[in-house]
Amino acid sequence: MVVAMVAASMASGLRIKAMAELCCYLTVVLCAFLVPCLAKLTTIEHPVKPNRSLSFLVVGDWGRKGFYNQSEVAFQMGRIGEKLKIDFVISTGDNFYDNGLTSVYDPAFRDSFTNIYTAKSLQKPWYSVLGNHDYRGNVEAQLNPTLRSVDKRWICMRSFVLKTELIDIFFVDTTPFVDKYFTDPEDHTYDWKGVEPRKNYLSSLIKDLKAEMRNSTALWKFAVGHHAIKSLGHHGDTAQLIKFLLPVLKDNNVDVYMNGHDHCLEHITSMNGAMQYLTSGGGSKAWRGDLKPDDDVNHSAKFLYDGQGFMSVEMNENEAMILFYDVEGLVLHQWKISKQLRSAV
């Protein structure tokens, strides 16, 4: 009897210990994927290939349940992803149209993501930021780690840093910067929980970005946001990003800024620096017919395409090769930057 009681007590103790360890593990996971620690941006580490190279795809403005050629773009992404043996995918936002997700149970998550990007090569982490359409839904649902139990690829946060041995990529929540969503939202309702008071949110974000970029020792630095800093597309330049974000990127020698928002593909070069502006917003609905090449008075645009498509990036310590593809997987534009020369070729 005594032995049995001792055994039962030990078993109970082991169960309690196991539960405690599980709770501790879950707390670590939630902290890693939900909230920055001590007001700093969350950092995710991703390994490079054995030969110290890296390759990834970039797509934006896609979530339309396969319509508007989303499925066709996804197919070509799978083909190119296999060819390049990609390490991950970057989404530049507007992940679910028209109004984000309603909850973690919203079937749009499967209908627009899981069931569309089915190629084996695309079964890699998807590092994603929010777009303005995502803010029209339940933002916390899209950020919730619960979605990873539905599709483990999904990693979405407001702002965070992806670190590898080659490159630090800074993901920036750009929607709260844009004044018109607050002053003239038209008929749309935005979910500003976690953002308001806006002034404090943006001030903290800029402070954290400055600190992370200043402390970065990475050979390459890229930044990702939904809204364009420079664009000749429908929406054009984003004045608030030029005022508040661009100086931070320039001061910290960021090589490339990548965005979506305009449903097109673009490469615009900096006229007073080395930074390049790349738009990859052709994941589904496009062909608006309102590109503004005549606004390019400084001839800074290297490439403009009013249609669906995506980008690929291949890089090592010495150079980065960037290619733009259309909906049929044809290469429309390619561009190489040498890190030694820090100039586009």
Side-chain angles (χ1 to χ4, degrees):
M1 174 70 75
V2 173
V3 173
M5 291 177 63
V6 170
S9 177
M10 291 178 63
S12 177
L14 290 172
R15 285 195 297 270
I16 291 173
K17 182 180 179 182
M19 288 298 294
E21 291 176 347
L22 176 60
C23 289
C24 181
Y25 170 76
L26 290 175
T27 300
V28 171
V29 171
L30 288 174
C31 287
F33 283 98
L34 268 183
V35 294
C37 180
L38 300 177
K40 295 182 179 179
L41 299 182
T42 298
T43 297
I44 301 174
E45 295 186 355
H46 194 109
V48 297
K49 293 181 173 68
N51 65 356
R52 292 183 56 80
S53 68
L54 199 66
S55 58
F56 55 92
L57 303 182
V58 185
V59 66
D61 305 83
W62 41 267
R64 296 183 186 273
K65 302 179 181 179
F67 295 107
Y68 295 98
N69 282 345
Q70 183 193 358
S71 293
E72 285 74 12
V73 172
F75 175 81
Q76 296 300 336
M77 288 175 62
R79 187 178 65 83
I80 299 300
E82 180 179 4
K83 178 181 178 181
L84 301 183
K85 294 180 172 57
I86 61 167
D87 298 284
F88 53 84
V89 179
I90 288 176
S91 171
T92 59
D94 275 3
N95 307 313
F96 302 98
Y97 284 95
D98 276 329
N99 298 308
L101 297 179
T102 58
S103 72
V104 294
Y105 307 106
D106 192 332
F109 182 74
R110 286 188 175 90
D111 294 342
S112 289
F113 178 58
T114 301
N115 298 340
I116 302 299
Y117 301 100
T118 57
K120 183 178 180 180
S121 67
L122 302 181
Q123 307 308 303
K124 301 293 177 67
W126 280 58
Y127 299 112
S128 309
V129 291
L130 299 168
N132 54 297
H133 282 268
D134 300 311
Y135 263 99
R136 295 177 190 174
N138 183 336
V139 171
E140 292 301 325
Q142 200 168 149
L143 300 175
N144 198 317
T146 299
L147 289 178
R148 301 194 77 235
S149 65
V150 180
D151 194 317
K152 66 181 181 180
R153 297 176 291 174
W154 186 251
I155 301 173
C156 183
M157 286 174 268
R158 295 184 194 268
S159 298
F160 61 102
V161 185
L162 179 64
K163 287 182 172 289
T164 78
E165 293 180 37
L166 278 178
I167 183 173
D168 283 355
I169 306 178
F170 302 88
F171 292 75
V172 185
D173 184 19
T174 60
T175 301
F177 282 92
V178 182
D179 290 339
K180 69 178 182 180
Y181 301 139
F182 295 85
T183 61
D184 186 22
E186 299 176 339
D187 296 328
H188 306 301
T189 300
Y190 292 88
D191 179 7
W192 297 127
K193 292 190 297 293
V195 170
E196 292 179 328
R198 179 191 179 205
K199 182 178 180 180
N200 293 348
Y201 178 83
L202 294 178
S203 176
S204 178
L205 174 53
I206 290 294
K207 179 182 177 181
D208 293 343
L209 279 172
K210 286 181 177 179
E212 292 289 349
M213 290 183 178
R214 184 171 57 247
N215 294 331
S216 173
T217 59
L219 183 64
W220 297 89
K221 295 178 186 178
F222 283 18
V224 177
H226 177 63
H227 296 77
I229 294 178
K230 300 286 187 179
S231 174
L232 296 172
H234 173 77
H235 297 290
D237 298 353
T238 306
Q240 294 81 20
L241 296 185
I242 292 175
K243 181 177 180 180
F244 296 108
L245 180 60
L246 183 56
V248 179
L249 304 185
K250 286 186 173 181
D251 288 346
N252 290 280
N253 298 316
V254 170
D255 300 285
V256 171
Y257 177 77
M258 302 185 294
N259 62 272
H261 197 45
D262 274 325
H263 296 184
C264 60
L265 305 174
E266 296 181 89
H267 171 201
I268 296 177
T269 189
S270 176
M271 299 306 297
N272 55 358
M275 188 164 58
Q276 309 294 310
Y277 307 94
L278 308 177
T279 296
S280 184
S284 59
K285 190 176 182 179
W287 303 109
R288 299 191 71 143
D290 56 0
L291 294 182
K292 307 179 183 68
D294 292 341
D295 290 353
D296 185 26
V297 293
N298 294 318
H299 303 287
S300 58
K302 302 299 182 183
F303 167 68
L304 293 172
Y305 179 67
D306 186 19
Q308 289 111 343
F310 59 99
M311 282 171 39
S312 71
V313 179
E314 295 179 273
M315 63 193 314
N316 55 36
E317 294 178 348
N318 300 317
E319 62 185 30
M321 177 65 75
I322 297 172
L323 279 73
F324 289 84
Y325 307 85
D326 69 7
V327 68
E328 296 181 345
L330 300 176
V331 176
L332 301 175
H333 174 69
Q334 60 184 30
W335 163 71
K336 180 173 71 175
I337 183 170
S338 169
K339 176 48 69 172
Q340 291 101 329
L341 298 177
R342 196 176 172 84
S343 62
V345 177

